[in-house]
Amino acid sequence: MNKGRLEAFSDGVLAIIITIMILEIKAPEGHQFADLKPLIPKFLSYILSFIYVGIYWNNHHYLLHSLSRVNGKVLWSNLHFLFWLSLIPVSTAWMGEHNFEKAAMTMYGVVLLLSAISYIILQYTIMCAEGANSALRKALNKDYKGKISLVLYVIGIVTAFFNQWVSGAAYFTVAMLWLIPDKRIGRIFS
């Protein structure tokens, strides 16, 4: 398989994830602006999740661009990554439907944490496929942002049991850390 098919499949899955998320937000029954108020939690959770999926799509694009050959391990690692991302719509809907309650915030954090871990596994699998001297391995030498993100996800999961707003702030902080694409990988292609 060439990497073009892998990119196209991944892009399709990510597009479906975003589509499912927006379909969870139903139009209000009434015709007044006040009728939109119950949608605020759903819309806020959608925005955060849309940002996360966009971040992953952007960085995944660069990650696959660094790939020169596709093997079975890369395919399975990519599928593993897409599996965890495919759970984002469920956790987003639950979080928005139940006004950021503790269980929903915990589940959302777990999905984000496992998505991040699966992305790290995909990076590692690609680096192994490309060899010891791969440009990607050199670019990702010290992944401080990745390590900080994992710590913030764990903080968000744990604090969700006590204060879901602190938990949400941890998830939001990770999104802001990654909003600008990873420059280390971008430099490889400059």
Side-chain angles (χ1 to χ4, degrees):
M1 177 188 287
N2 66 30
K3 71 178 183 178
R5 287 194 63 206
L6 181 63
E7 289 170 327
F9 175 76
S10 299
D11 286 349
V13 171
L14 291 167
I16 290 168
I17 288 169
I18 289 173
T19 302
I20 292 169
M21 286 188 318
I22 194 60
L23 290 175
E24 287 294 324
I25 301 176
K26 307 290 186 229
E29 299 273 332
H31 62 280
Q32 303 293 324
F33 286 116
D35 297 323
L36 292 170
K37 189 174 181 183
L39 294 180
I40 291 172
K42 292 178 184 181
F43 190 66
L44 291 174
S45 62
Y46 169 76
I47 290 170
L48 182 60
S49 294
F50 186 91
I51 290 169
Y52 266 108
V53 173
I55 289 166
Y56 276 121
W57 174 77
N58 201 326
N59 287 315
H60 186 262
H61 166 74
Y62 281 111
L63 186 64
L64 292 186
H65 193 65
S66 72
L67 185 61
S68 63
R69 58 183 169 269
V70 177
N71 61 29
K73 289 180 182 179
V74 171
L75 290 175
W76 280 109
S77 294
N78 191 64
L79 205 55
H80 176 241
F81 168 65
L82 293 174
F83 168 78
W84 290 110
L85 284 187
S86 73
L87 294 177
I88 288 177
V90 175
S91 58
T92 301
W94 195 29
M95 189 171 63
E97 185 70 32
H98 296 286
N99 298 319
F100 308 101
E101 288 297 326
K102 295 172 183 175
M105 291 297 284
T106 302
M107 181 182 160
Y108 188 72
V110 168
V111 169
L112 292 177
L113 175 65
L114 293 172
S115 295
I117 291 170
S118 66
Y119 186 80
I120 291 167
I121 291 169
L122 178 59
Q123 281 180 331
Y124 179 75
T125 305
I126 289 173
M127 286 188 287
C128 288
E130 293 298 306
N133 294 322
S134 74
L136 182 63
R137 186 179 300 271
K138 291 173 186 169
L140 297 178
N141 185 19
K142 294 180 179 148
D143 188 14
Y144 294 121
K145 256 182 15 176
K147 292 172 184 165
I148 291 168
S149 298
L150 295 176
V151 169
L152 286 171
Y153 286 138
V154 171
I155 289 170
I157 292 165
V158 171
T159 59
F161 291 103
F162 309 104
N163 186 325
Q164 60 266 39
W165 300 110
V166 172
S167 175
Y171 305 149
F172 180 77
T173 301
V174 174
M176 293 304 100
L177 280 173
W178 289 98
L179 197 56
I180 297 170
D182 196 336
K183 293 178 184 176
R184 297 169 300 169
I185 297 174
R187 280 189 217 116
I188 294 173
F189 307 110
S190 296

